């Protein structure tokens, strides 16, 4: 093989590797103190409620629609793949709802629905619950705008998973290979279910961008309480990807490794050195 062809092949392989890594925009581990409160998150728009302004909260997980006593928070109640998971609870509310969502920066979101190549999460329901398991919601927008057109929802019931199975052990929701329902009123296929593959190919949906992903529960028609855990959320598209393992607490630093000083601690160190130097200078002047 000629030298030029070898170099060209190496460059092509390197470029392909870079492109494969490009969509990753968020670290895998999400700690409890990193989830943005609903009042601050505000569907990622920040306090002003307007997308693409200076106070937007993108590239972070945040609480949305904590309604009628519903809560969504990372705790150690259902540890999975570490010391925690997302705890979802109705707390007795008859129309409770709650969840956490992730918005990539920019108008392209995760990319078109047709470009989604991975979508899944893990979940487990508390056996005392009288309501279905958590769901994944994908919010579909018109490309280049902030118009919410459709919401695809994966539920355990639509995919033949029994409550007994979700109570007994953690389950993996294969959203990409499963069935979803469109629950945005006024949008195409409202209240109709279809396979995710069919949704990707539907002319009315395939060009819409996946602006955000949510894992949550609710709303309405509750018959009793609901408590569940969710973890290991994955969504990959042509423009962005997110992989989240929810952890209740950060691991302690390795034994024998000193923690990194904070800015204030560095300031105290520098101030101390300056004072010590000034004192030494005064001593030298007196001795001279």
């Amino acid at each position: 093989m000629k030298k030029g062809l070898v170099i060209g092949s190496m460059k092509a392989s390197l470029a392909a590797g870079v492109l494969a890594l490009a969509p990753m925009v968020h670290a895998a581990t999400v700690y409890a103190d990193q989830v943005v409160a609903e009042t601050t998150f505000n569907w990622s728009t920040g306090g002003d409620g307007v997308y693409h302004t200076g106070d937007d909260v993108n590239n972070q997980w945040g609480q949305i629609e904590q309604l009628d006593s519903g809560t969504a928070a990372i705790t150690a109640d259902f540890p999975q793949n570490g010391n925690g998971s997302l705890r979802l609870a109705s707390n007795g509310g008859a129309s409770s709802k709650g969840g956490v969502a992730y918005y990539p920066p920019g108008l392209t979101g995760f990319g078109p629905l047709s470009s989604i190549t991975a979508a899944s999460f893990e979940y487990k329901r508390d056996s005392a619950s009288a309501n279905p398991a958590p769901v994944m919601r994908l919010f579909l927008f018109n490309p280049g705008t902030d118009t919410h057109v459709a919401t695809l929802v994966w539920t355990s019931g639509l995919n033949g998973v029994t409550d007994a199975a979700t109570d007994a052990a953690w389950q993996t929701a294969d959203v990409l290979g499963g069935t979803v329902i469109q629950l945005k009123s006024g949008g195409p296929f409202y209240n109709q279910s279809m396979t995710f593959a069919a949704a990707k190919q539907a002319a009315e949906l395939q060009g819409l961008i996946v602006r955000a992903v949510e894992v949550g529960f609710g709303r309405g028609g509750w018959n009793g309480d609901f408590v569940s855990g969710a973890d290991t959320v994955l969504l990959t598209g042509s423009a962005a990807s997110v992989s989240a393992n929810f952890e209740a607490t950060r691991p302690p630093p390795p034994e024998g490794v000193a923690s990194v000083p904070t800015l204030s601690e560095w300031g105290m160190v520098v101030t101390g050195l300056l004072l010590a130097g000034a004192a030494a200078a005064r001593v030298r002047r007196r001795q001279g």
Side-chain angles (χ1 to χ4, degrees):
M1 183 180 289
K2 293 183 179 180
K3 181 178 179 182
L5 292 177
V6 172
I7 294 174
S9 177
M10 291 173 63
K11 287 182 177 179
S13 298
L14 180 60
V18 171
L19 288 174
L21 292 172
M24 295 303 295
V25 296
H26 191 64
T29 303
V30 180
Y31 295 105
D33 60 1
Q34 292 177 314
V35 176
V36 182
E38 181 179 16
T39 51
T40 302
F41 192 68
N42 196 21
W43 294 94
S44 93
T45 63
D48 65 4
V50 180
Y51 285 113
H52 312 299
T53 56
D55 67 345
D56 284 8
V57 187
N58 294 322
N59 201 23
Q60 297 179 72
W61 288 89
Q63 297 173 330
I64 61 172
E65 289 197 304
Q66 316 289 283
L67 304 175
D68 193 19
S69 302
T71 55
I74 299 175
T75 73
D77 292 3
F78 301 95
Q80 173 70 349
N81 300 320
N83 59 40
S85 68
L86 179 67
R87 184 182 188 273
L88 302 163
S90 64
N91 302 302
S95 297
S96 299
K97 191 175 185 181
V100 295
Y102 173 86
Y103 285 72
L107 284 169
T108 56
F110 289 94
L113 176 64
S114 58
S115 77
I116 299 299
T117 56
S120 63
F121 72 103
E122 294 180 323
Y123 63 97
K124 185 183 187 304
R125 196 184 75 153
D126 186 275
S127 59
S129 296
N131 294 286
V135 304
M136 175 180 277
R137 296 183 177 96
L138 302 182
F139 301 101
L140 308 185
F141 282 49
N142 274 326
T145 75
D146 296 321
T147 305
H148 181 192
V149 177
T151 303
L152 296 182
V153 185
W154 183 98
T155 73
S156 56
L158 276 176
N159 289 274
V161 184
T162 65
D163 291 341
T166 64
D167 294 347
W170 281 86
Q171 306 290 319
T172 298
D174 177 15
V175 180
L176 188 73
T179 298
V180 294
I181 187 170
Q182 200 293 98
L183 291 179
K184 170 67 173 173
S185 178
F189 305 109
Y190 175 60
N191 213 27
Q192 295 182 41
S193 60
M194 65 190 77
T195 65
F196 197 92
K200 289 175 64 175
Q201 295 172 1
E204 298 88 341
L205 298 173
Q206 64 178 196
L208 300 177
I209 64 157
V210 181
R211 183 71 183 86
V213 58
E214 177 206 355
V215 174
F217 75 100
R219 174 184 188 194
W222 297 112
N223 181 24
D225 211 356
F226 170 82
V227 181
S228 180
D231 208 354
T232 322
V233 183
L234 174 65
L235 185 67
T236 301
S238 60
S241 178
V242 66
S243 174
N245 176 36
F246 300 120
E247 296 285 49
T249 57
R250 299 173 186 272
E255 196 171 321
V257 177
S259 60
V260 178
T262 64
L263 288 176
S264 60
E265 289 171 338
W266 275 118
M268 293 174 64
V269 169
V270 172
T271 301
L273 291 173
L274 290 173
L275 291 174
R282 286 196 297 271
V283 170
R284 285 196 298 269
R285 285 197 297 270
R286 290 171 185 166
Q287 290 176 345

